[in-house]
Amino acid sequence: MLGGAGILLGVAAVPAQAAEVSYKTECIPPAASGLDPVEGTTKVEITAPATAKVGDEIEVVWKFVQAASKNPDLIVLPKDSVKPTGTLKASGAQTADIAMEGPQKNPEIPKGGDMVLSDMTGKVKLTTAGDVTLTPDAYTITAYSTDTKCTPQEAVPAAATIKVTAAEGGSTTSGGSTSGGTTTSGGTATGGDTGGTTSGGSTTGGGTTSGGTTSGGSTSGGGDGQTDFAGKTVVTSFACTSPGPAKIDSTATINAKKNGGSYDLTVKTAEGVMNSPAPLPAGALKPSMVITVGGDDSGSLKVEGPANKDALNTGDPVSLGDMTGTYKPGADGKATLSPGDLTIVVTLSAGADPITIPCKATKTAVSLELDVQKQAGGVSGATTSGSGSSSGSSSGSSSSSSGGGLAETGANDHGGLWALGFVAGTAILLGGAVFVFLPHRRMR
């Protein structure tokens, strides 16, 4: 969902040099975003020592001058939510792929705003006398545990040259090539889109990813006195029935707080992923979700979120509230908790029949793992209400119709639902906030 570029700074006790280069770049957003690849121009500044000796370990810095694209007009990126990683290629007297990594540090980036990425740094040990040139290569931008991968689409000019001389009192040996430093960048999870094999990969700084694993964020059940358990963010997909969208791609995080032998669950979601397309009354949108229990326990429970507290004007950010419920273990051992089916209930005016949009989970992953002890009346093998709310499985109307699924709700509901855009384009749920992604809303 992001495009960007990189810059290098050199950190060495010798004179430094800095040079800016630009090159055509293609950035491929995460599959869950529904966005097309972006073609743009990356501008980076590389700073490195002008001279060094064989055996020196030098540090370089990659500074982003201009990103290949702006932030899509879909979501505000919060402060310190974006992390760049990449690869700087050394050639000439010595060949190496230098792993580059920047901190997860950025100002808030508005929808459609310029991407602001932190400087990346990396190290390489020099092994051979001669001229060593440094050239920017592929890079990855990670936000919300999803990766946007950017690769050059033309030959990139060298950004810096280091004149390496033989070490004093020794002969020059090739020593082979080196990747330099510890390749620990790209350590954030891909959230499941690309699994654990591509995030930050060999050309973007390596690192260990966890997006494709099924282990949860915490494994202690509180026997050691722990009461709060943080889950990991996972990517899910939903297939919805009419009048809902055909597909929703989403992320969700399940956190737990021990309460006696049970656990109070909170499914946390992001805020304001889009502007409201039309005025909506307070209480118009109410979400709920089934949490699937696995591992040594089995069954499911329901969590439910509050309806929007305030009325929404056109252009206001649309969010779904955190969904809560209770998990009572029905077995001893390790239990896993995964996001399951999603339901969105739409009530467009006071006294109007609610419109229930059921969405079946077609892709999910474990967000949380707990060590649990069996409780009387636990969830094992059963489906429980969790928060005690109704299942919301009805359509909101006792009559049926073959006229497209909206006719039976009345003309006013029909118009309001169209305003929400549930029937146009593809709805995307990023961190729990529903918005409509229309075909023309592409990354520029």
Side-chain angles (χ1 to χ4, degrees), residues 181-206:
T182 303
T183 56
T184 60
S185 64
T188 44
T190 65
D193 249 335
T194 56
T197 60
T198 61
S199 173
S202 61
T203 61
T204 58

Side-chain angles (χ1 to χ4, degrees), residues 12 14 49-58 93-94 124-132 162-178:
V14 292
T51 61
K53 296 182 182 297
V54 171
D56 287 349
E57 183 179 65
I58 57 108
Q94 178 179 342
V124 62
K125 186 172 183 179
L126 302 173
T127 60
T128 309
D131 288 350
V132 177
I162 305 171
K163 293 189 176 297
V164 183
T165 57
E168 295 179 1
S171 59
T172 302
T173 58
S174 65
S177 61
T178 176

Side-chain angles (χ1 to χ4, degrees), residues 210-267:
S210 60
T213 66
T214 58
S215 62
S218 178
T219 58
S220 172
D224 57 357
Q226 183 179 355
T227 59
D228 295 296
F229 308 93
K232 70 174 183 179
T233 301
V234 296
V235 172
T236 58
S237 293
F238 301 91
C240 303
T241 61
S242 178
K247 182 182 180 184
I248 294 177
D249 293 311
S250 72
T251 64
T253 307
I254 303 174
N255 297 322
K257 184 177 182 66
K258 189 172 176 60
N259 184 359
S262 299
Y263 297 85
D264 296 331
L265 304 183
T266 300
V267 180

